[in-house]
Amino acid sequence: MALFFFESLHAQVFSDFTYKGNDKIYAENRLEEDEFYSPILQGCYPDPSITRKGNDYYLVNSSFAMFPGVPIFHSNDLVNWTQIGHVLDRPSQLKLENAGFSEGIYAPDIQYNRFNDTFYMVTTQIAGGIGNMVVKTKDPKKGWGEVQKLNFDGIDPSIFFDDNGKAYIVHNDAPPKGTEQYSGHRVIKIWDYDLEKDQVIAGTDKIIVNGGVDITQKPIWIEGPHLYKKNEKYFLMCAEGGTGGNHSEVIFIADSPKGPFIPAGNNPILTQRYFPKDRKDKVDWAGHADLVETSDGNYYGVFLAVRPNEKNRVNTGRETFILPVDWSGTYPVFQNGLVPMKTKVKMPKGIKNQTGQNGFFPNGNFMFNDDLKSVKLDDRWIAMRGAREKFTVQTKNGVKINPFNVNSKAKAPVSALFHRQQHASFEATVSLDFKPKSEKELAGITCYQSENSQYVFGVTKKEKDFYIVLERTEKGNSTTISSEKISLSKNIKLQVIAEGDDYQFNYSLDEKKYKNLGGKVSGDILSTDVAGGFTGSLIGLYSTFANDIKL
């Protein structure tokens, strides 16, 4: 599809964006000096992977059809994190133009190779015919190289560097043709990896896990594998059970990187599946983990989990959590990873909690203010399927979004800047300078779970009149909830307020008094259990020249 943007005679300028979290759990669980909150990355930051070089830790996440892709964070202490950009930040690295929101980049793995002082990021790009791929850098703060396609099928690759300098790739794959025993039956494969050619070595692949811990129990979706070496033994850690309510993390041991791998007797080593569904402050779906050793020989594990709201919706998506890991025995065990998870974690010794200060990423009930007038957009603003620079112009009054000739329901690049929903209860407000010239033009806010599941709240025109409209799209079917004729003499303020599953869309024409449009509406379509897929909800500053909302 050819995309064009239309530059209106009258600017469509967004400014003074404010996002404020208001989750009860943080109000009821104030931090002591020796505590920090987990998740460390709230909102849609799933499938975390972590590595260390010296005192520098780097963490990456899945990004699906978001552009730029694979957000990357840096820390010196595992508590205070700074986003240093994205691994995949160029159109040459991402081919997402026709990807659904839950396609694109899956399960990145980041590892540091001390033998050549190089960082590797391997992932699966389910778009553009790319598949499994690797990029490299000497310094994650200075950008990454071009994509090298890897010659194997399956998903969730990770790379392992043995202490003899050899390298291997492990990944999830389908069982050999004709051997599948049940739906969800998967295997873990290993390949030798040629560090000179950056490619797996043909013919070296071997299945090292078939099905999971116990194939007689028909375990599903053994995936997200990582290899580690400790005390001359090799450990293979994988997710098992599917990335929903039965999710878990399991561990295997072997004398060789190619096995045979024997499952630990105490599996799983991390899960939340055994506890009452109505437990207070529920954390669920825990799994897809990665381990890192600190410079003093301790271990921590990062993993994904969700925090459902009062109606068991997961609008914030899969978030990045962290726990200390006890590896004093044969196998690693996530501390408090097999009991109902708590909101707070004890600080590592000698560390000061600076989250939300001094440039460090916030957590808890934080506020994010952005006047949108900076020369460079904050890294938290992402686009969908294409570069932000294709439709944004920084001005002294805010960010101008030139509309594409497709709307947010298209499986195509969208002219919108997105910020993740990071709380079950939040308030987001933005100022909009916009006077549409035709009914094809619309600008406003979208609460977006996918191209098929979203709310659009914005300003458009019919004949000679301006209107404020609210539309709900569920499974691709759109309904206009409400519309009102308005007078536009200056900027309009748009606001979305969520309290768990209840969302309200408000507007102000005088920047003081807000009026609601459409009453309380359900956030059900912003949760994966209704919308499907793997993502959390996003809040978009949105403009289109293909408005199709019926008035």
Side-chain angles (χ1 to χ4, degrees):
M1 179 188 298
L3 280 179
F4 304 94
F5 73 75
F6 291 80
E7 192 152 7
S8 301
L9 294 174
H10 193 280
Q12 300 162 66
V13 176
F14 292 86
S15 61
D16 301 318
F17 176 82
T18 299
Y19 174 93
K20 182 181 180 183
N22 190 30
D23 282 351
K24 191 176 178 184
I25 190 169
Y26 293 117
E28 293 178 348
N29 292 272
R30 303 286 186 185
L31 289 175
E32 302 295 332
E33 276 195 15
D34 63 342
E35 296 173 327
F36 67 103
Y37 287 128
S38 184
I40 49 173
L41 302 178
Q42 295 165 222
C44 183
Y45 292 101
D47 307 328
S49 176
I50 191 169
T51 195
R52 176 177 68 88
K53 176 188 177 182
N55 291 319
D56 294 297
Y57 298 92
Y58 296 94
L59 185 152
V60 294
N61 302 98
S62 290
S63 54
F64 305 102
M66 302 176 200
F67 197 117
V70 187
I72 180 167
F73 297 85
H74 170 263
S75 178
N76 292 120
D77 53 31
L78 298 172
V79 174
N80 303 298
W81 292 90
T82 303
Q83 185 169 1
I84 58 172
H86 292 80
V87 174
L88 306 176
D89 57 6
R90 303 186 297 280
S92 60
Q93 298 168 311
L94 282 171
K95 303 297 181 184
L96 304 171
E97 291 87 349
N98 302 308
F101 188 18
S102 282
E103 296 172 343
I105 297 293
Y106 277 47
D109 169 74
I110 187 171
Q111 294 297 329
Y112 173 66
N113 183 2
R114 62 187 174 89
F115 291 98
N116 61 5
D117 188 29
T118 300
F119 291 84
Y120 292 71
M121 194 282 295
V122 293
T123 189
T124 312
Q125 185 168 173
I126 302 178
I130 293 176
N132 293 301
M133 52 168 276
V134 61
V135 292
K136 301 188 300 183
T137 186
K138 293 286 187 180
D139 185 351
K141 295 178 181 178
K142 293 182 178 177
W144 294 71
E146 291 301 322
V147 167
Q148 166 78 17
K149 289 180 65 171
L150 297 174
N151 297 330
F152 58 88
D153 296 326
I155 61 169
D156 292 10
S158 70
I159 195 163
F160 169 69
F161 304 108
D162 208 342
D163 50 20
N164 61 4
K166 287 187 177 180
Y168 303 89
I169 291 270
V170 290
H171 67 98
N172 158 303
D173 206 349
K177 283 186 178 179
T179 68
E180 182 179 5
Q181 297 183 30
Y182 51 87
S183 178
H185 177 192
R186 303 291 286 182
V187 303
I188 301 297
K189 280 185 179 177
I190 190 168
W191 298 74
D192 293 354
Y193 188 79
D194 187 328
L195 288 164
E196 294 297 319
K197 296 179 180 177
D198 276 315
Q199 190 57 261
V200 293
I201 300 173
T204 62
D205 57 310
K206 180 184 179 184
I207 293 173
I208 52 176
V209 172
N210 183 13
V213 168
D214 181 357
I215 197 169
T216 67
Q217 301 300 306
K218 298 184 177 180
I220 63 169
W221 286 100
I222 191 80
E223 59 188 350
H226 293 282
L227 264 178
Y228 311 94
K229 190 175 186 181
K230 189 173 189 290
N231 299 331
E232 300 306 310
K233 297 287 187 181
Y234 294 86
F235 295 85
L236 177 69
M237 191 173 75
C238 304
E240 187 185 272
T243 184
N246 205 42
H247 207 198
S248 70
E249 199 71 15
V250 296
I251 193 88
F252 304 78
I253 191 171
D255 293 323
S256 158
K258 295 199 171 183
F261 278 93
I262 309 300
N266 62 332
N267 278 315
I269 58 174
L270 167 72
T271 192
Q272 293 289 285
R273 68 188 177 206
Y274 299 124
F275 312 119
K277 292 189 182 304
D278 60 351
R279 62 190 182 273
K280 189 178 186 317
D281 299 336
K282 180 164 67 172
V283 174
D284 214 352
W285 304 6
H288 201 112
D290 194 9
L291 304 178
V292 68
E293 183 180 10
T294 66
S295 56
D296 55 5
N298 294 316
Y299 284 85
Y300 280 80
V302 291
F303 56 96
L304 72 77
V306 296
R307 297 178 297 160
N309 67 21
E310 78 284 357
K311 291 192 176 177
N312 260 338
R313 309 294 187 201
V314 289
N315 300 25
T316 46
R318 295 158 171 83
E319 306 175 290
T320 292
F321 290 70
I322 192 168
L323 282 175
V325 171
D326 183 348
W327 208 341
S328 56
T330 302
Y331 301 103
V333 176
F334 286 76
Q335 294 183 35
N336 297 318
L338 295 170
V339 298
M341 280 184 197
K342 302 288 190 267
T343 308
K344 304 189 289 185
V345 179
K346 288 291 182 185
M347 298 279 287
K349 287 183 180 178
I351 304 303
K352 180 183 178 184
N353 190 342
Q354 300 180 71
T355 53
Q357 309 166 48
N358 304 321
F360 292 111
F361 218 64
N363 60 12
N365 276 336
F366 58 83
M367 182 181 285
F368 171 58
N369 293 313
D370 190 343
D371 65 10
L372 297 168
K373 297 172 186 175
S374 300
V375 174
K376 183 179 181 294
L377 282 168
D378 190 283
D379 283 323
R380 280 168 275 196
W381 292 111
I382 49 91
M384 194 59 56
R385 305 182 191 90
R388 301 175 301 185
E389 294 75 16
K390 294 282 188 181
F391 60 87
T392 60
V393 180
Q394 301 301 119
T395 78
K396 64 180 182 180
N397 297 320
V399 63
K400 181 179 179 182
I401 298 181
N402 289 314
F404 286 150
N405 64 334
V406 298
N407 62 39
S408 57
K409 289 171 267 189
K411 198 187 279 191
V414 176
S415 43
L417 287 174
F418 292 98
H419 181 281
R420 291 164 175 84
Q421 179 180 332
Q422 297 179 285
H423 300 81
S425 297
F426 73 90
E427 177 182 309
T429 306
V430 72
S431 181
L432 172 62
D433 179 5
F434 173 54
K435 285 187 179 176
K437 301 296 182 187
S438 77
E439 62 186 27
K440 286 294 184 184
E441 287 187 86
L442 178 141
I445 289 176
T446 173
C447 287
Y448 183 98
Q449 209 282 341
S450 75
E451 58 275 8
N452 296 316
S453 296
Q454 59 184 287
Y455 285 101
V456 170
F457 176 53
V459 176
T460 187
K461 191 177 188 182
K462 184 178 182 181
E463 296 174 350
K464 294 183 178 180
D465 296 315
F466 300 117
Y467 283 83
I468 183 93
V469 296
L470 177 62
E471 180 188 64
R472 171 187 168 98
T473 298
E474 179 177 0
K475 296 178 180 175
N477 298 312
S478 299
T479 305
T480 302
I481 293 175
S482 187
S483 64
E484 284 182 10
K485 190 190 301 185
I486 57 172
S487 61
L488 274 181
S489 58
K490 53 184 179 179
N491 287 15
I492 183 171
K493 281 270 199 180
L494 301 176
Q495 180 184 70
V496 54
I497 296 176
E499 294 181 10
D501 193 59
D502 293 329
Y503 283 64
Q504 294 185 69
F505 294 87
N506 309 316
Y507 69 96
S508 173
L509 298 172
D510 61 7
E511 301 197 359
K512 296 174 185 175
K513 187 177 179 182
Y514 281 89
K515 184 177 181 181
N516 175 258
L517 185 72
K520 287 184 179 178
V521 296
S522 174
D524 55 355
I525 58 171
L526 305 177
S527 171
T528 56
D529 62 309
V530 173
F534 304 106
T535 63
S537 179
L538 308 177
I539 303 155
L541 310 182
Y542 167 54
S543 179
T544 181
F545 203 79
N547 175 44
D548 62 359
I549 297 177
K550 301 290 188 284
L551 290 175

